[in-house]
Amino acid sequence: MTETTTVAGGLPAQPGSREGAYPRPAGSEETRVDAGGRTGEPSGADAGPDGHGGHGGQGGSSGVIAGAGPVARPGERATLRLRDGADDADGAHGEHDGGEEPPRYAPEWLQLREPADAAARAADLLDPLRARFADLPGREGGLVVHDLGCGTGSMGRWLAPRLDGAQHWILHDHDPYLLHFAAVASARSAADGSRVSVETRRGDVARLTPDALTGASLVTASALLDVLTTEEIDALAAACAGADCPALLTLSVAGRVELGPPDPLDAELTEAFNDHQRRTGLLGPDAVTVAREAFAARGMTVRLRPSPWRLGPEQAALTAQWLRGWVGAAVEQRPDLGERAERYLHERLAACEAGELEAVVHHTDLLALPRSSGAAS
């Protein structure tokens, strides 16, 4: 896996930014920050835009983000690029003629969904993880956590403050632009006040090997499994098992949506969206089943928990963006739905604006533990 690494420890927000905001990187270089938050010399890493893996959804030729709404800025779209020099999630090749910069994942969507993600994750899966970590012999530097397809780092902001002890997070993504965001807005301290440090790595998370996980305490990811293939999930399970490392993989799409009030077109759009998710060999709503089997086949105990988004009037902006992308992807998969779907979307958005729409978007969280760590449940 090709890597460019920068290290940060106890990172403060950039001057003029607020905690948890996503400032734009200055220039085209990544910046190295020491443990006291002092900015050093530029690392010299290539910070040109690249593809990104962060959410279950493919960007089609229409620019639709499946399940996320249209991209706000030109040149940004939600295409997952886990296969260096190979295919994007929407089937477009990674090469770009004439030195044109490839599109990147719009961080606005990641920021918009972060509160709903945080509320949805199955926090009870952390109990067996804490028990495992408590039984581990003392290790210099504390826990080492690999966050795959980290995007803007929301998983670290959620998880690091819920675990005790010093932690070193290794953030993996193809996009240096998003890696910068993730490092700048990373968690500063653990649940007990211990120090949290961060390291960023550019590379192909679909080619992770046991060697890359040497010394790892945990592998984690958010909204990643459903944009992988069977082979890539198998490789991930093999890498974790080979490194004797647990995996916490959250917010994989489950293929079920509940909208209130219901509409006769709900079921057809759900089916079309699920088929869109499965295009080009990606697993979409089948990913959790495949992952459970892959980890179990390697002797790991697997626990599953529901982690649904529950969207009401307080989440109207997220609901509207999700609706646009969900319907748009369904129509891209089944153009015959176009006229009916247009009316449907208009009515649903009006209900959303009026505070009259509720939605439950089902996801599943998965925890895989080495067999000695606990019994299945």
Side-chain angles (χ1 to χ4, degrees), residues 243-310:
D244 196 34
C245 176
L248 177 64
L249 307 168
T250 70
L251 295 168
S252 298
V253 296
R256 302 191 315 280
V257 172
E258 300 171 33
L259 289 160
D263 185 280
L265 200 55
D266 292 345
E268 276 191 89
L269 290 170
T270 298
E271 182 180 2
F273 176 81
N274 289 342
D275 288 343
H276 187 278
Q277 287 263 292
R278 297 182 179 106
R279 298 196 318 182
T280 70
L282 306 185
L283 287 168
D286 308 318
V288 169
T289 298
V290 172
R292 177 178 57 190
E293 293 172 353
F295 281 103
R298 288 165 174 81
M300 300 183 75
T301 298
V302 180
R303 304 179 183 212
L304 303 180
R305 296 290 186 271
S307 53
W309 279 354
R310 299 187 182 277

Side-chain angles (χ1 to χ4, degrees), residues 53-58 65-68 78 80 105 109 113 222-227 251 253 273 277 284:
H55 177 258
Q58 302 117 21
I65 303 178
L80 180 79
Y105 201 104
W109 168 246
R113 65 173 287 170
S222 187
L224 177 67
L225 284 181
D226 41 89
V227 285
L251 295 168
V253 296
F273 176 81
Q277 287 263 292

